[in-house]
Amino acid sequence: MRVAVEFGKSKIYTGLVFEIHKNPPKGYDAKDIHQILDETPIVNEIQLQHWKWISDYYMCTLGDVYRAALPSAFLLESETIILKNESFTDESLLDNDQFLIFEALQNHSQLTIHQTVEIIGKKTVFPILNSMIEKEAITLKEQIYEQYTPKLVKYVRINPIYTEDKLEELLESLSRAKKQREAVLSYFQLKISTKKPIKVTDLIGISMTSAAVIKALVEKEILEFYFIQMDRVNFKGETSDFKKLNEYQQKAFEEIKKTFEEKDTSLLFGITSSGKTEVYVKLIQEVLDNGEQVLYLLPEIALTTQLIDRLQNYFGEKVAVFHSKYSMNERVEVWNNVLNFSSKAQIIIGARSSLFLPYSNLGLIIVDEEHETSYKQFDPAPRYQARDAAIVLAKMHQAKTLLGSATPSIETYQNAIEDKYGLIRLDRRYGNVLLPEIELVNIKEKHRKKRMNGHFSDRLLALITEALEEKEQVILFQNRRGFSPIVECKTCGISPQCPNCDVSLTYHKFKNELRCHYCSHHQAMQYSCGACGSQELNTKGFGTEQIELELKELLPDATIGRMDFDTTRGKYGYQKIIGQFQAQEIDILVGTQMLSKGLDFSNVSLVGVLNADHMLNFPDFRAHERSYQLMVQVSGRAGRTKKRGKVAIQTFNPYHQILQQVSTHSYEEMFKEQLQERWQYHYPPYYRMVKIVLKHRDFNKVNHGMLWLGKALVNVFKTNVLGPTTPSVSRIRNQYIQQVMIKIPPTQSLKATKENIQRIKNVFQAVKDFRPIKFIVDVDNY
């Protein structure tokens, strides 16, 4: 059960009773439970077991998992809110810190304690606030976080005293009130035709009257209002029959069922556009026939919007969706439907957070595009990998897990080859369309021969023009948003930096501002250098915004759309852009990695990658694997239905082995090469990894703490410690960062390693100087 507990005089926090025992805590007095919040539990046993596994494996507290899992409506908390006293005018009474808070309140209607700590950079703010209350500059109030409110729809019915024999009398009494009489007549027409409860809005629409007329009838006690609780997300529409599987899909389907007899987890290795979704649909149907639930995990919300339509088309209202673009109330409804095993939540589609729902009878988990990095949560804790956590959850439910991908991650493919997972191949595209023809464009050569037009080579432009003439669509991929990542002064070479992070600000032309992609700090674009005053500023590098603007100049007749984090902000942001592109209202879609994830557009014949080198030269041991996956996935959006698509990849180094492997679609070759390197340099899948990060506002403190920690770890793990090092972005949100990596050999026990790390962490946090440093453990940090 959830319980509310009071801390201090007015703070309320929600806890979850995990187990009941009779051992009083040592060293402190336990608080009394203020009240029990539920009549029936909102979580179940298997769920708690799974949370416990996540907290043990990923070395975080159970509270972290609980906080991540529950929709915020279930976490009743009160927080102190600071408000400005409007009658206070004498600012000379305030000292520096107090003035900073007061000034912030002039720009914001209210502040939280957390925000004030950030504004003045001190942890102890209560004495400052108390003196401001004495000076009557501010007032405080406690605010309870939002709670779930059910959606009530207003219906109308006739007062039961008007039986059939009294109806004429009623209409006679309304002979003078023409509109009211029409409303009553319309009510009866609706009643006869629909035989369903009548909504107030429907009655107003049909009788062509207003809300005031209905209200007058209610006041006369002729009609009555009543409310019915409704779900916020409903499916309206017809369902259609399944597509018939072709022979290759049918064979894959049979093989999956066969491998599931022996193994709990299988990998469906199907090339792009081979029709994996239709195979999933057939499997889902079989699981539903057994009366079990299905969880369908996707890496990106953009993908869910396209898939919801396809699945609802087949399964109607059995499909429920759960991800962060849904409002808090909508998420609570999905939670309750899953908890009560409702018919509305037999198939759950969602991003990684949908793992935490209270399933009672899972039969199958599908992890689509299993190689995606979006399945890993990096901040805040629990830093879990959804694919791995899903396999464990399925085991707890005695369910099966199907991993699907055209470019599986090296760990998964290794498991499949070693016979830990079943392996099913699907290597024909649906409708026997050939894989796209991939062309590498050498832009080093093009620059030399002056054949570049902005960031476009003559070859890419020719292909785009050709596709547009054929009335086909084009996707252009550039994995950077904004206009350009660096604005540089030509005179002194200095570029504007973020005040809170160690990165340069990205220029966004659309809003004419400089923005930090780490902490969202933004400021107006400057027209002169902040260091030397020179007005000659130059932009370096390019993002999706710049590509969009260049295209508008080069191809003024084409309609160009952009899909990145900036254009998909709202709840329906993705839906709008994907809908327009599907309806062929957009000719060319420019976008970031969102485009590479399993989207299905029938009319795209050309995909252009504007700069492949940026991904290849990333300082990460998985850079080559990820580049291969990203490029093959984005290429897979081309030529999916009728004719063979084309892909043009612009690069300064067309002879790079990864680009050669992408152009020939040789996954196996890439896999073998990467495996050799991983074995040689001790990386996953052979060695496991744990990353430890320290963060604090004071650089010397972090440095001192990391030196101590590094020595302690080397004493235990010897040569398997990498670091301590400073990451490439060494300060984010005014916190300095240092990190150290521990590699765990295949022969070493993971459990014992974690116990050692936990022991070192406990000693570290017991040292008074190190206590304020944030200590973050990230298990399997890739």
Side-chain angles (χ1 to χ4, degrees), residues 7-59:
F7 281 84
K9 285 178 187 165
S10 52
K11 283 267 181 286
I12 290 181
Y13 288 102
T14 306
L16 192 71
V17 177
F18 189 71
E19 60 179 326
I20 295 172
H21 58 80
K22 294 266 192 300
N23 320 322
K26 292 186 178 82
Y28 65 91
D29 289 333
K31 290 273 179 190
D32 288 334
I33 286 175
H34 178 59
Q35 60 182 28
I36 295 174
L37 296 171
D38 300 317
E39 286 182 20
T40 54
I42 58 160
V43 295
N44 62 35
E45 286 291 327
I46 297 186
Q47 207 180 358
L48 291 178
Q49 228 181 308
H50 188 234
W51 292 1
K52 182 96 182 66
W53 177 85
I54 287 178
S55 98
D56 291 345
Y57 186 84
Y58 292 103
M59 295 181 74

Side-chain angles (χ1 to χ4, degrees), residues 565-584:
F565 186 68
D566 301 317
T567 58
T568 52
R569 285 279 158 102
K571 181 174 171 184
Y572 301 108
Y574 294 104
Q575 237 157 321
K576 262 202 318 258
I577 295 170
I578 289 173
Q580 285 174 324
F581 196 60
Q582 240 163 349
Q584 298 181 20

Side-chain angles (χ1 to χ4, degrees), residues 168-221:
E168 251 177 64
E169 202 181 303
L170 165 64
L171 290 171
E172 201 116 307
S173 68
L174 292 174
S175 57
R176 286 191 162 184
K178 221 172 171 184
K179 288 278 183 195
Q180 291 178 13
R181 191 171 173 213
E182 271 173 32
V184 172
L185 282 168
S186 302
Y187 172 83
F188 285 114
Q189 281 172 341
L190 265 176
K191 189 96 185 120
I192 293 161
S193 62
T194 63
K195 294 187 171 60
K196 281 180 185 168
I198 293 164
K199 284 186 193 171
V200 175
T201 47
D202 291 353
L203 181 58
I204 291 170
I206 281 197
S207 61
M208 312 282 266
T209 54
S210 65
V213 173
I214 309 292
K215 199 176 169 201
L217 284 166
V218 171
E219 279 164 5
K220 286 183 179 176
E221 294 186 355

